[in-house]
Amino acid sequence: MTTLRARAFLALTAPAALLLTALGPPPAAADTRREPALGAREGAWNTREPALDARVSAVSARDLGRSWRPGCPVAPSGLRLIRMNHWGFDGRVHAGELVVRERAVRPMLYVFGRAFGARFPVRRMRTMAAYGGSDVAAMRADNTSAFNCRAVTGDPSRISQHSYGDAVDINTLENPYVDRNGRVHPAAGAAYLDRRRTAKGMIKNGDVITTAMRKAGWQWGGRWRAPDYQHFSANGR
């Protein structure tokens, strides 16, 4: 297991620098001790010094549950689990989990490190195994996730970029997806199609999320003709 500390990420100006940060053990002086918040769910924490506190580990087919199956384009050995903190809509720090392709680890740590530093709120961050691989269920829950071996929602003829582990959806309710037939996913997200409004967790051009993604080399689906405001990917698909 590789341990990565948030204080290093927040000082970065380019994703390439993350590789240097990842080498070697964290500073002995780093104090990330935390205590569970009373009555908290989904990993809420009281922290003395809020930090991303990211940890990267390998995953197995069992860990991935129904989000993976034999024949998927990436084997479990090519994926990694990132456990990291994020700010919630309640203004508190929560523990989240994200499964990505190994090569996507560095850009995602860069992006979510920047987001953490800016206190950008994420509703919840759970792996797709928690939703049985159902993109519909995850979007309804306003979940932030990455790897999920599946077809494109609304277009079963195409394989989703999430199947490769190098795409991520963030705050799916506040950042809805409009498929090629004009259907909004999740349906409740239609209230957020007016991007002139301001709401917690919305992603907008020029904010900390889009800026960090652009620096990491990832592209935003919010600029598509049929917009996918929640979606970012390494290859723009």
Side-chain angles (χ1 to χ4, degrees), residues 131-155:
Y131 298 94
S134 171
D135 188 45
V136 173
M139 284 194 289
R140 285 176 179 169
D142 202 11
N143 188 56
T144 292
S145 64
F147 173 78
N148 189 22
C149 187
R150 61 174 175 81
V152 171
T153 299
D155 186 359

Side-chain angles (χ1 to χ4, degrees), residues 7-217:
R7 278 178 281 276
F9 305 141
L10 302 183
L12 295 175
T13 57
L18 269 167
L19 181 58
L20 298 177
T21 302
L23 298 176
D31 182 4
T32 56
R33 290 175 295 172
R34 52 202 187 277
E35 301 173 356
L38 294 177
R41 301 184 63 183
E42 297 189 15
W45 298 97
N46 287 323
T47 58
R48 298 177 183 176
E49 295 181 20
L52 188 67
D53 195 22
R55 299 167 184 269
V56 182
S57 61
V59 294
S60 66
R62 182 176 181 178
D63 296 328
L64 297 171
R66 292 186 178 181
S67 70
W68 182 88
R69 60 187 178 280
C72 288
V74 179
S77 61
L79 299 168
R80 295 292 182 269
L81 171 65
I82 305 175
R83 292 186 175 94
M84 58 185 166
N85 291 333
H86 65 85
W87 289 97
F89 278 46
D90 58 1
R92 302 170 70 187
V93 176
H94 294 254
E97 294 185 331
L98 197 71
V99 173
V100 299
R101 196 166 186 169
E102 183 177 14
R103 68 189 182 193
V105 169
R106 286 184 291 170
M108 288 301 93
L109 289 176
Y110 174 76
V111 169
F112 285 100
R114 290 292 187 181
F116 190 89
R119 297 200 175 202
F120 179 86
V122 173
R123 175 84 66 182
R124 58 177 52 85
M125 186 188 293
R126 304 180 66 185
T127 68
M128 286 304 300
Y131 298 94
S134 171
D135 188 45
V136 173
M139 284 194 289
R140 285 176 179 169
D142 202 11
N143 188 56
T144 292
S145 64
F147 173 78
N148 189 22
C149 187
R150 61 174 175 81
V152 171
T153 299
D155 186 359
S157 66
R158 295 190 296 135
I159 187 169
S160 170
Q161 204 59 37
H162 290 276
S163 302
Y164 298 87
D166 53 9
V168 63
D169 292 337
I170 301 173
N171 289 344
T172 52
L173 176 63
E174 294 78 17
N175 302 290
Y177 157 54
V178 181
D179 69 24
R180 63 177 185 172
N181 300 310
R183 185 178 177 184
V184 180
H185 305 269
Y192 296 91
L193 286 178
D194 181 359
R195 306 309 284 182
R196 295 170 300 179
R197 67 178 294 183
T198 299
K200 190 179 297 185
M202 284 182 71
I203 297 170
K204 296 189 176 185
N205 191 37
D207 69 4
V208 64
I209 297 291
T210 58
T211 299
M213 286 287 187
R214 185 166 54 251
K215 288 184 178 180

